[in-house]
Amino acid sequence: MKLLRYGQRGAEKPGILDNNGKIRDLSGQVDDIAGESLTAAGLAKIATIDVGSLPVVAELGRLGPCVSRTGKFICVGLNYADHAAETGAAIPEEPILFMKATSAITGPNDNVIIPRKSRKTDWEVELGIVIGDEARYVTEADAMKHVAGYCLINDVSEREFQAERGGQWTKGKSADSFGPIGPWMVTRDEIADPQDLKMWLSVDGTMRQNGSTKTMIFGVSFLVHYISQFMSLQPGDIISTGTPPGVGLGMKPPLFLKAGQTIKLGIEGLGEQTQLTVDAA
């Protein structure tokens, strides 16, 4: 299933994409794509619905973030061997974890807002894991049972804030609009192998990233297992799993975003996003 949310910011309704690519209204069936709806039992209930009987959304307007009420937005740094190489970083011995503020979450095609005083805003196409059932101290063998599905993420980053302003990476990752997710969450059963997905990102029509989840250092099941040793994972929590090479920071010379540019990105089976960059008010 491809589950989504549509409507104006703060008033989004739940929806589902049918086999003909039409969006159907789920608001009469579930309150939101969040919480209990993302558990195994919740998804099984949605799967019994006759999608063809649901109202078609005639005027779509805006797509919102595909998941709501996310409690934790956890990111994994330097998780692609080829990306670590382009930045001159060593291959991590364990996953590098940092948090992205949930206030950064936005719709897949909303504007990306370049923060005030930013000089190094960058792009990162990433595979997102959406947690379904609570995960606490899970084994790697059981980890996938706790995954509701996957989504496309642009882990927008301000590199100066991230690396040159002291402290941890969070301040360079958490500006409003720095977490576009969607267009939809694809349930786990529809992705045969999350470690074999093509992914790409372009800026103003120029391809910048063209990679695959094959080069992830730590895979999906290991990450869910690993993170659950340090904190419980709740329904709707998101894990952003790292990016392949081609980020602006890794170019020679480095290249960063400015207002008025168009970012497009996609992951095989998970859809595409398009964002316009604008300056913060």
Side-chain angles (χ1 to χ4, degrees):
M1 297 182 291
K2 295 180 174 65
L3 303 177
L4 55 95
R5 301 170 68 248
Y6 67 95
Q8 295 305 305
R9 190 183 301 272
E12 293 94 343
K13 295 181 179 180
I16 187 169
L17 194 71
D18 70 18
N19 291 332
N20 296 314
K22 294 181 179 179
I23 292 175
R24 303 276 183 159
D25 181 13
L26 264 180
S27 59
Q29 310 293 323
V30 298
D31 68 334
D32 209 343
I33 308 302
E36 289 299 312
S37 295
L38 293 168
T39 65
L43 292 175
K45 181 178 178 181
I46 295 173
T48 65
I49 297 170
D50 177 10
V51 174
S53 68
L54 299 174
V56 173
V57 178
E59 296 184 12
L60 176 60
R62 170 182 175 269
L63 280 174
C66 57
V67 175
S68 183
R69 303 201 295 269
T70 295
K72 293 188 287 297
F73 198 163
I74 306 160
C75 300
V76 185
L78 300 174
N79 193 34
Y80 281 67
D82 37 9
H83 171 56
E86 76 170 343
T87 61
I91 300 295
E93 294 183 6
E94 294 189 45
I96 297 171
L97 304 182
F98 61 93
M99 307 296 281
K100 197 176 185 87
T102 55
S103 54
I105 294 174
T106 191
N109 304 316
D110 290 344
N111 291 342
V112 164
I113 303 169
I114 297 178
R116 295 179 183 180
K117 300 183 179 180
S118 168
R119 297 188 303 165
K120 298 181 179 180
T121 296
D122 204 350
W123 56 83
E124 294 189 9
V125 58
E126 303 203 3
L127 171 68
I129 305 168
V130 180
I131 297 298
D133 287 68
E134 181 181 66
R136 181 185 288 110
Y137 298 117
V138 300
T139 65
E140 186 174 359
D142 286 338
M144 298 302 284
K145 298 175 184 176
H146 301 267
V147 175
Y150 307 97
C151 65
L152 171 62
I153 297 174
N154 188 358
D155 176 21
V156 187
S157 310
E158 212 299 343
R159 303 302 189 183
E160 183 180 18
F161 298 178
Q162 176 184 354
E164 302 173 40
R165 298 286 298 274
Q168 300 176 350
W169 291 359
T170 302
K171 67 179 71 172
K173 297 283 189 170
S174 295
D176 291 352
S177 81
F178 270 27
I181 64 170
W184 31 73
M185 185 202 80
V186 180
T187 51
R188 188 181 78 235
D189 59 294
E190 291 200 5
I191 302 298
D193 185 0
Q195 305 307 151
D196 188 16
L197 300 176
K198 296 176 182 177
M199 54 203 309
W200 59 273
L201 181 146
S202 70
V203 179
D204 289 339
T206 299
M207 190 68 72
R208 296 301 184 188
Q209 293 185 272
N210 188 7
S212 170
T213 57
K214 282 183 177 181
T215 65
M216 284 173 64
I217 299 166
F218 304 106
V220 169
S221 58
F222 182 82
L223 288 173
V224 173
H225 148 70
Y226 180 85
I227 295 170
S228 78
Q229 310 306 304
F230 301 96
M231 65 193 85
S232 62
L233 296 170
Q234 310 295 328
D237 285 353
I238 295 171
I239 303 170
S240 199
T241 59
T243 197
V247 299
L249 178 66
M251 300 181 71
K252 301 185 187 320
L255 182 67
F256 299 111
L257 294 164
K258 58 183 184 293
Q261 295 188 287
T262 299
I263 310 168
K264 294 187 176 184
L265 59 150
I267 295 180
E268 182 180 2
L270 300 183
E272 299 182 3
Q273 300 181 357
T274 301
Q275 295 120 23
L276 176 69
T277 57
V278 298
D279 283 327

